[in-house]
Each structure stands twice: as C-alpha cells, then as structure tokens.
C-alpha cells in the first residue's frame, strides 16, 4: 500500500499488516529452533565442564560484619536488598550490569551475573526456620538440558559463557544461597509490617511492599550512613583504585604533547584513560571528563570531542573502578605544551593553595564543612586580589557569594563504591557532620572563567582549573591517596615534559596507610 495524503492514517493503529501465510509448517517451526527434535538434539553431548573450586572472597568477613552492623539497627524486621535488574540500552541489548551499591556493600559481590539477585536478611517471620537467617536468592545458570541454555541471552551459558553455580556464591560469601525461584515463596511468609526494603531497584521486590512508606527510604539512608566510615578492606580497594588511576594519568601525560592540533584530541585522552581502566580495573568509575582549553570551564564536560591546541590547559577528571567496584576520582590540569602561561599559573596556584589549605582541615573532630569553608576563603581572597570580585562587602559573608560564580560546586564528596558515595546520608552526618577516622572523601577546588563571562578580564577568559585528590582521614591526619600524581605547577610541567615519570610505589603508600591505621 502506498501512503498518500488521502489514505495516511491519523494514528498508527489504523494499520493492518497482511501476513504472508496463515499457518506455520513443521519445517518452519524447526527452522525457528522450536521443534522437539531440535531441543532434544541440543540437550545432548555437552561434557561436564571442569570447574575450579571457589574460595572465600577477601571481602567475605567484612561484608558479614557490615550485615551485622545493619542488623543492630533493626532487630525484628526482615531486610530486603535487591541487586537490581539489567537496564535496557536498546531493544534486546542491555548495559553491562552493575549491582546496586547497597547490595554490593552487604554481600561483597559486584559482578554482572548477579542481575536479578536479592539478599534477604530475615527477622521475625511466621516460619521459624528462616528467623535470623541471611539468604541470597540468585538465578542459577541454565542447565544445558534446558532450552534456555541456548535461548536466554540474559542467563543462558551458550550466550554469556560459563557462570558460577549456586555453591560458588556460598563459598565466596558464606551466605546461604537459594535459587531465585524460591524468592516470592519464602517472602510470602512475611508480615509486611515488619519488612524494610531498598525500593525502586527491582519491581519484584517493590511488588511485595508499600513502596510509599517512608520507612523504606529511612532504611536506604541507614545503609548509606553506614558507609561513611570505611573498613580496612574498603580503604585498601580505594588505595588500589588511586594507584591504578595514577598509572593511567602517567600514560596520558606521555600522550598529551603529541596531541597539539589533533581533532577530537580529547577523545584520544579519554580512550587512553579508559583503556587503562578496563585493563587495570573493572572500568571507569564515572564518565571521563577530558577537556581542553575552554571546555575545561564546563564542570562536567563529557562530550570530549574537542581539538587540543598548543597553549591549552587540559583538564582530566577520571577514575578507575576496581573489580570490587570501589573507584578513584582524580583531576589534574596540565599545560599541553609543558609550560603554564603567566595567567594560567596564577589561577593554577590559587586552586592548589585552596586544595592544600583545605587538606589541613581534613582532620578528626573538625566539621566536614571546615574543609569547604577554607577552600572558599582562599578562592575569594585570590579573586579579590585580581579585582574580579569586590572585597566589600566580604564575599564570604554576603548574600551574593560572588566568588561562587567561579566555583559553583562543592569542595568535595565522600568516595567509595559510588563516586558520590553515601549520597542519602543525613546532612547532620555528612555536610554538617564531624570528620571521623576512616572517612574517604575528595578535595577538589577549582576556578572556571567562562569565555562568555562579561565580569572577567580578557586574560582569564577560557581558563578552567580543577585539582582533585582522594583523601583518607586517619587519627594522625589526612593522607592523600592520589598524592603520587604530580600536583605543584613545577612538578606538573616537569612531568608533561617527560623529566619526571610517576611509577607509583604501591608498597610505600600501603605502608603509610597501614601505619596510620594500626
Ligand atoms: N568527577 C565527578 C566529580 O568530581 O565529582
Ligand atoms: Mn569528585
Ligand atoms: Mn572528579
């Protein structure tokens, strides 16, 4: 049928499609791999795969201690924490699955094959055998004798390769494991009034509860708050994430001087970083920001399609996520040609000073907001000195907060499995809370002078600088886990000129962290 203005339907439902044939023949059914002969043939002659026996994960005892801590908040309730379901990329293609942070934290797991799994920590139930038990419900791999083996693109081993068996999960985590098919059955024994769940992650969990009840949000918040202080395993993983990220930054510094005038040069940097991320870790912990010249004035520039020019500053904000899902979040701003201009240097040193002064405030007993306030003090002072803002009224006290025009983001955030970790924690424990030993957060002041800003002298226009480090708080003071990547202007210049190379000494950093924590 040819569409004309006369027969064009006014809604799609007007269409009827003519089928080529009414009935499907036996052979056609076979061609669709639906014949019983084909199914029988496919179920035979697969050798038993040899499997290595699974051993406990390094995170096993830590995850168990985390569940115990959580249990201390809720002695009678049943707690449900889903891993989540795959997210559609398009049609039948999914994004690489990443389990929900609360699930990863409480199980120590963190792989794509945990899609659809649910952790249930039973409290008081109508079924005595379940009381006080933690059970992980998970989809077992489809057996080669079932059609799903070659039909399910999500869980069939013909599609996705060998998958762990249920007893592997038990060996790794120490948690009792059950086939996911028992999940709604077991939880049917619950008194809904005594269930708390992480909601909005898996529809089959949301269906069991009244998701609107605020108690579920409170529950998710408690898990977020538990993560504010890291255990030694988490610190080790964050430290490793920083070391791996440092190696990637080293490779970028070697590449950068070769990119003068290269169209989409930013993508070369992104590619170099992401290559390291996929080979040294699980991948990037967030979208890499690779920004040359004026693109560095856009806070989250992730298009990364700009040309790199001689004389540009290059801002790279990137982090490697380890297999455990803990990520680094580090920024360096580097002159492409190996030399800061006078104005670039002025801006760079102001940001470095803000970072260094803020770092000194990152000590036990201080308020978390002291770190930010100190950075703002330095930034405002320098902007006044350059006559970009007025000193009267005091910018820090004024309602306009004029200095924030040039740094409209916070000075940092907690870091962990999520790059913006513990995001649900109450202000009283986070932004307005006290700094405690074992916290890990970023310090990341910046200055951004947009090209189109009429309030900025020409010499500053198009300059964007951010310096971001990942900080571990110890009783003896803060440690910069990312401090092996050059920070001072002189070191950054020498680094990009190839005069110094960073090969992060993992052991040195490990020793410092262990000493501080012992
Ligand atoms: N890379 C995102 C951030 O620094 O918060
Ligand atoms: Mn950050
Ligand atoms: Mn960052």
């Amino acid at each position: 049928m040819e569409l004309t203005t006369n027969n064009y339907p006014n809604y799609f439902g007007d269409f009827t499609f003519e089928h080529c044939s009414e009935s499907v023949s036996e052979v056609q059914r076979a061609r669709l791999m639906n014949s019983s002969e084909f199914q029988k043939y496919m179920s035979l002659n697969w050798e038993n795969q040899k499997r290595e026996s699974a051993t406990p994960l390094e995170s096993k005892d830590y995850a168990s201690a985390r569940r115990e801590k959580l249990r201390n908040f809720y002695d009678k309730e049943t707690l449900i924490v889903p891993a989540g379901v795959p997210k559609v990329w398009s049609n039948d293609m999914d994004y690489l699955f990443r389990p929900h942070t609360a699930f990863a934290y409480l199980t120590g797991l963190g792989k794509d094959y945990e899609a659809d799994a649910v952790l249930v920590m039973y409290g008081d139930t109508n079924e005595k055998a379940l009381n006080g038990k933690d059970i992980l419900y998970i989809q077992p791999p489809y057996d080669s004798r079932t059609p799903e083996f070659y039909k399910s693109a999500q869980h069939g081993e013909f599609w996705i390769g060998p998958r762990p068996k249920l007893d592997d999960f038990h060996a790794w985590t120490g948690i009792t494991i059950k086939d996911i098919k028992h999940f709604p059955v077991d939880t049917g024994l619950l008194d809904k009034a005594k269930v708390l769940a992480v909601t909005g992650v898996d529809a089959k969990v949301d269906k069991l509860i009244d998701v609107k009840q605020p108690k579920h949000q409170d529950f998710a918040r408690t898990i977020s708050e538990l993560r504010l202080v890291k255990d030694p395993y988490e610190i080790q993983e964050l430290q490793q994430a920083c070391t791996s990220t440092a190696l990637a930054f080293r490779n970028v510094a070697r590449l950068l001087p070769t990119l003068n005038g290269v169209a989409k040069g930013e993508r070369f940097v992104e590619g170099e970083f992401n290559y390291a991320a996929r080979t040294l870790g699980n991948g990037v912990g967030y979208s890499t920001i690779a920004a040359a010249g004026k693109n560095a004035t856009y806070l989250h520039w992730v298009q990364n399609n700009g040309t790199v020019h001689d004389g540009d500053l290059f801002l790279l904000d990137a982090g490697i996520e380890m297999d455990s899902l803990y990520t680094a979040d580090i920024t360096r701003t580097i002159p492409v040609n190996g030399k800061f201009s006078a104005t670039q240097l002025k801006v760079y040193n102001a940001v470095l000073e803000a970072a260094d002064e803020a770092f000194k405030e990152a000590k036990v007993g201080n308020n978390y907001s002291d770190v930010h306030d100190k950075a703002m003090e330095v930034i405002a002072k320098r902007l006044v000195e350059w006559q970009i803002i007025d000193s009267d009224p005091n910018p820090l006290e004024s309602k306009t907060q004029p200095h924030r025009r040039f740094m409209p983001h916070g000075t940092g955030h907690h870091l962990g499995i999520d790059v913006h970790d513990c995001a649900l924690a109450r202000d009283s424990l986070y932004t307005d809370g006290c700094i405690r030993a074992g916290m890990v957060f970023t310090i990341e002041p910046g200055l951004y002078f947009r090209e189109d800003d009429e309030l900025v002298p020409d010499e500053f226009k198009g300059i964007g600088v951010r310096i971001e480090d990942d900080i571990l708080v110890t009783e003896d003071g803060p440690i910069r886990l990312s401090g092996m990547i050059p920070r001072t202007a002189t070191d950054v210049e020498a680094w990009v000129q190839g005069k110094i190379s960073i090969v992060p000494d993992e052991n040195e950093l490990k020793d410092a962290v262990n000493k501080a924590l012992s």
Side-chain angles (χ1 to χ4, degrees), residues 6-291:
N6 288 334
N7 69 2
Y8 190 77
N10 58 10
Y11 69 100
F12 193 70
D14 279 357
F15 275 112
T16 55
F17 288 97
E18 285 171 27
H19 292 280
C20 294
S21 65
E22 290 293 307
S23 59
V24 180
S25 72
E26 289 273 307
V27 172
Q28 277 169 328
R29 209 187 305 285
R31 278 202 203 129
L32 294 169
M33 304 188 299
N34 279 338
S35 69
S36 55
E37 287 84 352
F38 180 76
Q39 289 184 7
K40 187 171 170 209
Y41 168 61
M42 282 301 278
S43 69
L44 297 172
N45 297 95
W46 305 110
E47 281 178 10
N48 269 336
Q49 295 288 325
K50 281 202 188 71
R51 292 198 291 141
E52 290 192 9
S53 52
T55 52
L57 296 172
E58 228 185 316
S59 57
K60 174 176 171 263
D61 293 341
Y62 293 103
S64 164
R66 295 169 200 160
R67 292 194 300 278
E68 212 171 299
K69 261 194 196 161
L70 182 64
R71 172 54 71 201
N72 289 339
F73 284 86
Y74 309 100
D75 51 344
K76 297 209 174 1
E77 290 92 339
T78 289
L79 313 175
I80 304 184
V81 184
V85 298
K87 287 198 173 56
V88 174
W89 186 353
S90 70
N91 302 318
D92 58 347
M93 300 303 285
D94 294 331
Y95 288 101
L96 188 62
F97 179 76
R98 183 180 196 281
H100 189 272
T101 298
F103 177 89
Y105 181 70
L106 293 168
T107 61
L109 296 167
K111 296 281 183 292
D112 59 336
Y113 42 68
E114 290 145 27
D116 304 317
V118 183
L119 170 70
V120 182
M121 297 167 60
Y122 286 97
D124 288 352
T125 71
N126 301 329
E127 176 63 54
K128 282 221 164 60
L130 291 173
N131 289 357
K133 260 203 163 167
D134 296 349
I135 299 183
L136 179 57
Y137 296 89
I138 204 154
Q139 171 66 53
Y142 285 117
D143 191 287
S144 60
R145 284 162 299 187
T146 65
E148 284 80 8
F149 168 63
Y150 60 90
K151 278 190 168 173
S152 167
Q154 231 164 46
H155 293 292
E157 289 194 349
F158 210 105
W159 287 81
I160 54 176
R163 282 301 182 258
K165 309 284 185 262
L166 295 188
D167 55 355
D168 292 329
F169 285 100
H170 175 68
W172 285 333
T173 64
I175 304 174
T176 302
I177 310 292
K178 280 195 181 185
D179 188 321
I180 189 71
K181 70 183 181 202
H182 299 296
F183 169 69
V185 180
D186 285 356
T187 51
L189 302 164
L190 297 176
D191 172 0
K192 277 191 192 180
K194 289 199 200 130
V195 175
L196 295 171
V198 173
T199 60
V201 176
D202 187 333
K204 68 177 175 285
V205 171
D206 288 356
K207 215 168 66 184
L208 298 173
I209 54 168
D210 177 2
V211 289
K212 290 206 189 86
Q213 284 191 350
K215 65 177 184 175
H216 301 297
Q217 275 68 51
D218 293 350
F219 173 55
R221 189 182 66 196
T222 303
I223 304 173
S224 207
E225 289 174 352
L226 274 181
R227 304 205 315 269
L228 281 164
V229 170
K230 268 58 184 175
D231 63 36
Y233 172 77
E234 296 183 282
I235 291 168
Q236 169 200 300
E237 290 302 299
L238 285 162
Q239 178 204 307
Q240 189 57 52
C242 288
T243 308
S244 300
T245 303
L247 282 171
F249 270 74
R250 179 196 68 181
N251 293 354
V252 166
R254 281 185 194 152
L255 173 72
L256 212 46
T258 69
L259 295 179
N260 273 338
V262 173
K264 283 196 182 171
E266 293 174 345
R267 292 263 170 107
F268 283 77
V269 172
E270 179 188 351
E272 181 75 34
F273 188 88
N274 293 6
Y275 158 70
R278 284 294 278 169
T279 48
L280 291 170
N282 187 46
V284 291
Y286 53 92
S287 298
T288 295
I289 297 168

Side-chain angles (χ1 to χ4, degrees), residues 317 329 413 419-420 442 444 468:
D317 179 344
D329 177 11
H413 51 82
V419 63
H420 293 170
T442 67
E444 51 175 307
E468 177 172 27

Side-chain angles (χ1 to χ4, degrees), residues 157-451:
E157 289 194 349
F158 210 105
W159 287 81
I160 54 176
R163 282 301 182 258
K165 309 284 185 262
L166 295 188
D167 55 355
D168 292 329
F169 285 100
H170 175 68
W172 285 333
T173 64
I175 304 174
T176 302
I177 310 292
K178 280 195 181 185
D179 188 321
I180 189 71
K181 70 183 181 202
H182 299 296
F183 169 69
V185 180
D186 285 356
T187 51
L189 302 164
L190 297 176
D191 172 0
K192 277 191 192 180
K194 289 199 200 130
V195 175
L196 295 171
V198 173
T199 60
V201 176
D202 187 333
K204 68 177 175 285
V205 171
D206 288 356
K207 215 168 66 184
L208 298 173
I209 54 168
D210 177 2
V211 289
K212 290 206 189 86
Q213 284 191 350
K215 65 177 184 175
H216 301 297
Q217 275 68 51
D218 293 350
F219 173 55
R221 189 182 66 196
T222 303
I223 304 173
S224 207
E225 289 174 352
L226 274 181
R227 304 205 315 269
L228 281 164
V229 170
K230 268 58 184 175
D231 63 36
Y233 172 77
E234 296 183 282
I235 291 168
Q236 169 200 300
E237 290 302 299
L238 285 162
Q239 178 204 307
Q240 189 57 52
C242 288
T243 308
S244 300
T245 303
L247 282 171
F249 270 74
R250 179 196 68 181
N251 293 354
V252 166
R254 281 185 194 152
L255 173 72
L256 212 46
T258 69
L259 295 179
N260 273 338
V262 173
K264 283 196 182 171
E266 293 174 345
R267 292 263 170 107
F268 283 77
V269 172
E270 179 188 351
E272 181 75 34
F273 188 88
N274 293 6
Y275 158 70
R278 284 294 278 169
T279 48
L280 291 170
N282 187 46
V284 291
Y286 53 92
S287 298
T288 295
I289 297 168
K294 71 170 167 36
N295 292 341
T297 66
Y298 311 135
L299 302 180
H300 277 183
W301 173 259
V302 290
Q303 288 184 34
N304 303 344
N305 58 0
T307 304
V308 176
H309 296 107
D310 193 354
D312 281 349
L313 290 182
F314 198 102
L315 184 154
L316 175 63
D317 179 344
I320 293 184
E321 170 187 275
M322 304 313 291
D323 288 334
S324 57
L325 304 183
Y326 288 85
T327 187
D329 177 11
I330 302 173
T331 308
R332 288 294 182 268
T333 309
I334 307 167
V336 172
N337 63 14
K339 194 86 194 135
F340 286 100
S341 74
T343 310
Q344 287 170 348
L345 186 63
K346 212 155 57 171
V347 177
Y348 189 89
N349 279 336
V351 174
L352 185 70
E353 183 190 354
D356 289 350
E357 291 302 311
F359 177 75
K360 291 179 198 158
E361 298 296 322
K363 53 189 184 205
V364 175
N366 268 12
N367 289 327
Y368 181 71
S369 57
D370 293 340
V371 176
H372 174 70
D373 291 348
K374 183 53 85 173
M376 288 306 94
E377 202 182 299
V378 174
I379 293 291
K381 185 176 72 181
R382 294 296 168 211
L383 288 166
V384 165
E385 186 183 300
W386 303 331
Q387 298 178 356
I388 293 176
I389 61 172
D390 292 332
S391 60
D392 188 17
N394 179 350
L396 298 168
E397 305 295 334
S398 97
K399 279 197 179 149
T400 315
Q401 295 282 297
H403 54 293
R404 297 305 301 276
R405 181 181 175 101
F406 310 99
M407 186 189 145
H409 61 74
T411 301
H413 51 82
H414 279 260
L415 186 67
I417 296 176
D418 289 337
V419 63
H420 293 170
D421 212 36
C422 316
L424 300 178
R426 279 166 292 182
D427 287 351
S428 58
L429 296 176
Y430 193 150
T431 43
D432 304 331
C434 269
I435 294 176
R436 290 187 278 160
M439 284 184 164
V440 176
F441 50 77
T442 67
I443 293 184
E444 51 175 307
L447 273 170
Y448 314 92
F449 299 106
R450 290 175 57 103
E451 257 191 344

